[in-house]
Amino acid sequence: MPERRTVALVTLGCARNEVDSEELAGRLAADGWELVEEAADADVAVVNTCGFVEAAKKDSVDALLEANDLKDHGRTQAVVAVGCMAERYGKELAEALPEADGVLGFDDYADISGRLQTILSGGIHASHTPRDRRKLLPISPAERQDATSVALPGHAQDTAPEDLPEGVAPASGPRAPLRRRLDSSPVASVKLASGCDRRCSFCAIPSFRGSFISRRPSDVLGETRWLAEQGVKEVMLVSENNTSYGKDLGDIRLLETLLPELAAVDGIERIRVSYLQPAEMRPGLIDVLTSTEKVAPYFDLSFQHSAPGVLRAMRRFGDTDRFLELLETIRGKAPQAGARSNFIVGFPGETEEDLAELERFLNEARLDAIGVFGYSDEDGTEAAGYQNKVDPEVVAERLERVSRLAEELTAQRAEERLGEVVEVLVEEIDDTGAVLGRGAHQAPETDGQTLLRTDGEPEVGRMVEAKVIATEGVDLVAEPLEPLERQGGGASTGEADR
């Protein structure tokens, strides 16, 4: 009988990392590893790190150190780093953090089982020397689909084995990434593409995630169908830039045709699109996002700032008035549409006038959720070499000021929704019996939630029509329009937990 090998996956960062973790889980389960929830119960703790900004990198290091502590008084024998931080720093991270028994890059994912077995057996797997992954794919987007030798987490790379364990399936077709769900949530993310061709001066992501490459529509559809079979009700499409989807497949409008097909998948109640670039928004895409049944009228727009001078220094496009016009166009088609964005304050060269312009935009934009970050230099980015840096104390002051404004404005925006009818996906019934879910304008983790006031016993995964009766900051309180026991179309708890 084969020796029992257990592994736990600890995921940090964005939804793209969550998808990568489920791919790793699928590969490991297919090779006989037993997946456990807690690192303390695992022979190997695999930490899927984030390498986006300093705070995220610190969280990743802390998670690795915490997992390493388990080796002194638990089952854990090895701690391994994967993910963006591991890919971005490779050998440098391994040398700086000897507590990690292995640092694995994206090229190691195809043989993740063998790599972990080597490390668990006391062997050493040499960490990679990082390289600019943009140079691994052809410059021409149209030629990238044939570059099958490049490791692309979330993309079809090899032939799926036969006789897969229960709960593990190729996400799509015979040549596909394996995937195993790591929770029973009725919400799951699907990768639409990976990498990015934009050259924002503050962002290092393209250097370690590579150039933009789309997944084929058949792969995305196949994975969505498989997730629906697992009880998933809402699918969120993720990538570094969803508005570029299809450009390497010969059709920049491919997303507009794919969305209705995804919405038609049996069992799926909501499709949500994240990571949209304002400069690439098209009238046709706005139309599909605001008028297609089961596609959430949700706009996660990457504005970053609104002062023209700051945006140009960031190597981005637009200004306050253009951004407001975009939002006005969206709300003209779907008045209840959700809109969110992130912003950087204290960017090199940002003046008080620039900050005032950003505040003007925020005051007029009526965004449902606002993320605010203080600028910090990122290794290998153009902005790190800029000379006119804002004093760190001033950056901190601006961060506090704009964050406070954002909190006030998003609370006001929530109050504007009083009396609206929202479709709430029930996601959790907590220990107190509170029924928690999200409306169409609320993405997982980032945009608040909706508390359902009800005496009924709803099922996780059910979609409930409810009227907003109160707010708590960005969160909503809503009452179902009908008693829950009379509402139809929801999944049973058993289905949601499959």
Side-chain angles (χ1 to χ4, degrees):
M1 185 173 178
E3 181 183 358
R4 180 172 181 257
R5 303 174 298 176
T6 57
V7 59
L9 285 147
V10 179
T11 307
L12 293 93
C14 64
R16 300 184 296 272
N17 257 18
E18 293 171 6
V19 177
D20 289 349
S21 284
E22 293 197 348
E23 178 187 343
L24 292 174
R27 289 181 180 274
L28 290 166
D31 202 46
W33 289 77
E34 179 182 341
L35 284 105
V36 296
E37 290 187 12
E38 301 296 331
D41 299 328
D43 297 318
V44 183
V46 177
V47 179
N48 192 349
T49 60
C50 178
F52 181 39
V53 293
E54 284 303 318
K57 287 183 274 189
K58 181 181 183 304
D59 289 344
S60 295
V61 170
D62 289 346
L64 288 163
L65 293 174
E66 183 178 339
N68 182 68
D69 289 342
L70 298 173
K71 290 192 289 187
D72 295 330
H73 51 266
R75 178 189 177 100
T76 309
Q77 300 174 53
V79 175
V80 175
V82 298
C84 290
M85 189 176 179
E87 174 62 40
R88 184 176 181 184
Y89 295 104
K91 187 181 297 184
E92 181 183 346
L93 177 62
E95 292 171 353
L97 197 70
E99 291 86 352
D101 299 287
V103 174
L104 306 181
F106 298 150
D107 292 332
D108 294 306
Y109 283 20
D111 188 27
I112 186 67
S113 176
R115 300 287 191 266
L116 296 191
Q117 185 60 57
T118 296
I119 294 167
L120 184 60
S121 301
I124 297 174
H125 177 70
S127 301
H128 66 286
T129 299
R131 50 184 173 167
D132 189 338
R133 295 190 73 86
R134 289 172 293 192
K135 298 178 180 179
L136 303 182
L137 290 167
I139 294 176
S140 168
E143 297 175 5
R144 293 175 189 164
Q145 290 288 327
D146 296 326
T148 55
S149 62
V150 179
L152 297 169
H155 291 247
Q157 293 288 292
D158 45 24
T159 302
E162 298 179 1
D163 301 323
L164 290 168
E166 184 178 354
V168 177
S172 54
R175 274 177 48 82
L178 301 180
R179 184 166 181 174
R180 182 186 187 277
R181 297 215 66 206
L182 292 174
D183 60 38
S184 57
S185 168
V187 183
S189 295
V190 171
K191 272 196 178 181
L192 196 60
S194 64
C196 186
D197 287 342
R198 301 184 72 87
R199 293 296 179 262
C200 302
S201 62
F202 57 84
C203 184
I205 290 175
S207 66
F208 56 86
R209 277 289 184 180
S211 297
F212 184 88
I213 184 166
S214 304
R215 292 182 67 197
R216 293 189 178 277
S218 57
D219 291 343
V220 179
L221 272 165
E223 185 167 351
T224 300
R225 293 189 184 106
W226 179 78
L227 288 169
E229 292 170 1
Q230 311 305 303
V232 168
K233 297 299 174 184
E234 177 177 327
V235 163
M236 184 164 74
L237 300 178
V238 299
S239 75
E240 279 73 24
N241 176 11
N242 280 335
T243 34
S244 282
Y245 180 69
K247 72 175 187 179
D248 51 324
L249 294 171
D251 185 359
I252 192 60
R253 295 177 178 82
L254 197 55
L255 184 56
E256 286 95 305
T257 57
L258 176 61
L259 285 172
E261 296 182 70
L262 293 172
V265 171
D266 283 346
I268 295 299
E269 296 293 334
R270 180 185 287 158
I271 299 291
R272 184 183 303 277
V273 184
S274 61
Y275 305 113
L276 301 169
Q277 287 291 339
E280 298 180 30
M281 290 300 294
R282 305 175 291 277
L285 180 55
I286 294 173
D287 286 343
V288 170
L289 288 170
T290 54
S291 65
T292 307
E293 186 179 2
K294 295 188 178 181
V295 172
Y298 174 79
F299 292 81
D300 176 12
L301 295 159
S302 178
F303 289 124
Q304 302 300 341
H305 212 283
S306 73
V310 176
L311 286 167
R312 301 304 174 269
M314 289 178 169
R315 299 207 178 280
R316 297 177 67 82
F317 305 95
D319 55 44
T320 296
D321 292 334
R322 281 192 237 179
F323 291 163
L324 291 174
E325 287 173 8
L326 173 60
L327 291 169
E328 184 179 0
T329 298
I330 290 166
R331 290 174 178 138
K333 296 176 180 294
Q336 293 187 0
R340 78 168 319 276
S341 192
N342 293 326
F343 300 88
I344 298 172
V345 297
F347 191 80
E350 182 190 61
T351 64
E352 280 294 331
E353 290 76 15
D354 293 328
L355 194 68
E357 183 69 2
L358 173 58
E359 290 172 324
R360 179 171 81 89
F361 172 69
L362 293 175
N363 274 293
E364 297 184 35
R366 297 169 54 231
L367 298 174
D368 293 279
I370 299 171
V372 187
F373 300 88
Y375 173 82
S376 62
D377 287 338
E378 280 296 312
D379 298 335
T381 62
E382 182 183 353
Y386 287 179
Q387 299 300 310
N388 50 346
K389 299 288 174 60
V390 179
D391 184 274
E393 291 186 4
V394 175
V395 174
E397 290 170 2
R398 292 178 180 178
L399 175 60
E400 182 180 359
R401 170 176 152 186
V402 177
S403 296
R404 189 166 54 246
L405 175 64
E407 186 175 352
E408 294 171 0
L409 292 172
T410 51
Q412 290 174 17
R413 176 64 181 133
E415 290 176 357
E416 290 180 19
R417 293 191 179 275
L418 288 169
E420 284 187 3
V421 174
V422 292
E423 286 200 335
V424 180
L425 177 66
V426 177
E427 293 186 305
E428 178 188 1
I429 302 174
D430 70 14
D431 295 338
T432 68
V435 181
L436 302 173
R438 290 175 300 99
H441 69 286
Q442 296 170 316
E445 307 294 335
T446 58
D447 300 346
Q449 58 188 2
T450 299
L451 169 67
L452 286 176
R453 286 270 175 83
T454 174
D455 295 327
E457 297 182 359
E459 299 151 338
V460 170
R462 167 172 276 180
M463 195 73 78
V464 177
E465 278 197 324
K467 183 177 181 179
V468 180
I469 60 170
T471 65
E472 299 175 1
V474 297
D475 297 333
L476 305 182
V477 181
E479 287 184 343
L481 297 185
E482 299 178 9
L484 286 180
E485 59 269 22
R486 288 167 48 198
Q487 299 229 7
S492 69
T493 303
E495 287 176 316
D497 289 343
R498 272 192 306 173

